[in-house]
Amino acid sequence: MDSQIIISGGGPIGNYLASNLTGCSVQIMEEHSEIGKPVQCTGLVHPRVIELANAEESVLNAIKGFRLFFPDGRMVEVKTDETKAVVIDRCRFDNICCGGAKKAGATINTDSKILNFKRENNELIVNHLTNGKKSEIKTNLLIGADGYKSHVGNCAGLGCAKEIVRGIQADLEITMPDQNIVEVYVGKEVAPGFFAWILPCGEFTRVGVGISKGNGIPSKYLDRLIEKRGFGEINRSQIYSGVIPIGYPKSTYADNIMIVGDAAAQTKPLSGGGLYTGLQCAKYAAETALDAIDSNNYSAAFLSAYEDKWRSEIGKELDRGMIVRKIFTGMSDKKLDEAGKLLDKPEAKEILATGDIDYPSRLARPMLKAVPSLMKLAPGALKTLLLGR
Ligand SMILES: Cc1cc2nc3c(=O)[nH]c(=O)nc-3n(C[C@H](O)[C@H](O)[C@H](O)COP(=O)(O)OP(=O)(O)OC[C@H]3O[C@@H](n4cnc5c(N)ncnc54)[C@H](O)[C@@H]3O)c2cc1C
């Protein structure tokens, strides 16, 4: 055996996973030449993510509230005294996770792409292209932390995300006057099937848009938002784009295989955030991997413990998020405006102020209690949400 565990993908989740695998031989294969690049993320996370990854050094700014803009121009503002989220430098964050992986003993191979694998005698022979040379390596367990396209998940027949959202963002050389407030825009003209954001990051401002499939080119929406917000003349220091997978696949394990993070579409369906959920799932993947090594059992039946664990931790939230996402994407701009009117009430804002970006569905019950007329916007789906586990 060349390595007990191979992790395909040196993103934050692959590295964090490896940092939880002390005591066994682990190799990370990352196709890019540098960890943390290219950045494909806004970097807005709950402070608990920083704690999990021990990544205080990556924090750029703190967010304490939001302004939510509806298609008719209505703005619902919610301000709190609490740090609801922080903005991180994603490249720095990934490198901190990678430091954890190295400390735990993992070998990090960059310029190293997993090509394919085959199963023989209860182990895997993994073909990879490293520094331009094709080679093979034997392992007991291959974990795909290889992002939304997950080659590992596809080759293992695990299925793919239910949908994808395309995102694009630009860092503008402008400082927002209110550094603790994120602006969010919804509506078909601004960001069909998702939302747009303006995030203060100290000396620069991150403006981004996500759109669901079939709605044209994301950059068109970004340019329009930048223009509309009066930032057309401001220099764009960086532009990033990426894809957010939404809706986890039918399975996240097979014989000698697990998938985790974006590879398993373990993202929050409403916001597309995948760092918190991915890190949580990586912890369970690591626990299951260590148990598999102890028991010398890498069968699908044994590895199913991983899926049981992550589902019991965040499965309910992801399922509820999918219901709310379905309601949201089914709403016309007129309906969104109706929702805006109802949310622009003190009793609704009071509930919104208690929100947690990692558990947005927890707001559903108290919100519908405080503003029962919201129910008429999607009676069937909201009833399912209220009656759900
Ligand atoms: C526009 C945008 C904004 C976002 N904003 C936020 C946010 O504010 N907050 C938040 O929590 N999340 C956000 N996300 C989601 C977040 O970026 C992802 O959930 C996170 O990056 C998932 O990490 P990962 O390690 O699973 O996958 P990735 O970060 O995609 O890493 C996978 C790695 O695997 C490598 N790889 C792929 N195939 C192979 C192969 N065959 N061999 C070797 N290496 C391979 C890739 O090169 C990559 O480095 C955003 C995403 C986008 C696109």
Side-chain angles (χ1 to χ4, degrees):
M1 188 56 51
D2 299 320
S3 190
Q4 286 169 308
I5 300 175
I6 291 181
I7 299 174
S8 175
I13 307 307
N15 276 300
Y16 181 75
L17 168 66
S19 71
N20 282 278
L21 289 170
T22 312
C24 45
S25 59
V26 178
Q27 298 216 31
I28 292 180
M29 321 293 252
E30 166 54 49
E31 63 185 353
H32 289 102
S33 52
E34 264 182 81
I35 297 294
K37 288 187 181 168
V39 171
Q40 294 173 317
C41 181
T42 310
L44 189 69
V45 294
H46 191 279
R48 65 172 67 86
V49 168
I50 304 304
E51 257 176 63
L52 270 173
N54 228 334
E56 286 74 15
E57 281 168 41
S58 66
V59 174
L60 298 173
N61 193 18
I63 299 299
K64 298 183 175 177
F66 62 84
R67 291 192 193 106
L68 179 54
F69 291 86
F70 288 86
D72 62 0
R74 179 186 298 274
M75 186 264 283
V76 174
E77 183 177 63
V78 174
K79 282 184 170 178
T80 75
D81 296 328
E82 205 186 319
T83 295
K84 290 285 184 182
V86 292
V87 190
I88 54 169
D89 173 337
R90 240 313 279 276
C91 181
R92 183 84 196 96
F93 182 85
D94 287 20
N95 277 285
I96 290 170
C97 294
C98 184
K102 284 182 191 160
K103 203 168 157 204
T107 303
I108 319 292
N109 304 288
T110 49
D111 280 319
S112 180
K113 185 179 170 106
I114 302 272
L115 300 174
N116 51 50
F117 51 88
K118 62 177 182 230
R119 193 160 180 262
E120 261 177 27
N121 307 322
N122 275 336
E123 57 188 36
L124 294 178
I125 301 168
V126 178
N127 289 301
H128 59 99
L129 182 70
T130 299
N131 297 318
K133 258 179 68 185
K134 276 190 183 171
S135 186
E136 60 176 44
I137 183 168
K138 281 188 189 162
T139 189
N140 297 121
L141 190 55
L142 172 63
I143 307 182
D146 47 353
Y148 84 100
K149 278 194 215 156
S150 187
H151 193 51
V152 171
N154 280 330
C155 293
L158 297 179
C160 56
K162 300 204 169 46
E163 57 171 314
I164 55 159
V165 164
R166 294 190 181 282
I168 184 163
Q169 57 187 9
D171 287 349
L172 305 186
E173 289 176 356
I174 184 171
T175 302
M176 294 296 277
D178 200 341
Q179 281 292 312
N180 300 129
I181 297 287
V182 57
E183 293 180 6
V184 177
Y185 296 78
V186 292
K188 302 258 181 287
E189 292 292 309
V190 191
F194 209 61
F195 59 89
W197 58 92
I198 297 185
L199 187 63
C201 306
E203 286 174 3
F204 66 96
T205 299
R206 192 160 281 164
V207 182
V209 173
I211 61 168
S212 58
K213 217 175 159 186
N215 285 296
I217 314 163
S219 60
K220 187 183 87 185
Y221 294 91
L222 180 69
D223 289 343
R224 201 189 287 165
L225 175 66
I226 288 177
E227 223 28 76
K228 186 177 150 195
R229 193 59 180 74
F231 296 154
E233 300 301 313
I234 309 290
N235 192 42
R236 303 177 188 189
S237 58
Q238 292 209 59
I239 306 236
Y240 330 71
S241 58
V243 171
I244 301 170
I246 291 182
Y248 52 82
K250 63 182 189 317
S251 176
T252 55
Y253 63 90
D255 288 322
N256 305 82
I257 304 274
M258 291 191 272
I259 51 172
V260 66
D262 276 19
Q266 288 156 333
T267 54
K268 292 173 282 178
L270 274 179
S271 66
L275 287 172
Y276 171 63
T277 44
L279 295 181
Q280 285 287 353
C281 295
K283 252 182 9 197
Y284 295 123
E287 265 178 37
T288 307
L290 293 173
D291 288 346
I293 289 172
D294 273 353
S295 320
N296 193 28
N297 187 346
Y298 303 93
S299 66
F302 192 90
L303 299 178
S304 67
Y306 158 59
E307 188 162 304
D308 294 344
K309 285 180 187 177
W310 77 254
R311 275 184 187 252
S312 72
E313 176 76 25
I314 58 154
K316 183 176 155 190
E317 179 62 37
L318 300 189
D319 292 344
R320 289 166 70 85
M322 280 306 270
I323 296 176
V324 182
R325 172 158 173 78
K326 214 167 161 200
I327 298 172
F328 171 70
T329 53
M331 283 168 98
S332 61
D333 278 3
K334 202 165 156 251
K335 277 231 162 157
L336 282 172
D337 290 335
E338 274 176 52
K341 202 167 160 193
L342 294 170
L343 292 174
D344 200 5
K345 293 182 173 183
E347 59 272 31
K349 290 197 223 177
E350 217 172 280
I351 306 281
L352 287 172
T354 64
D356 179 325
I357 62 166
D358 290 332
Y359 296 95
S361 83
R362 287 181 185 168
L363 288 186
R365 244 174 252 268
M367 184 59 87
L368 288 165
K369 202 168 162 212
V371 191
S373 39
L374 276 168
M375 199 74 193
K376 69 174 191 260
L377 293 172
L382 284 170
K383 202 166 165 203
T384 312
L385 196 67
L386 288 180
L387 294 176
R389 284 176 299 138

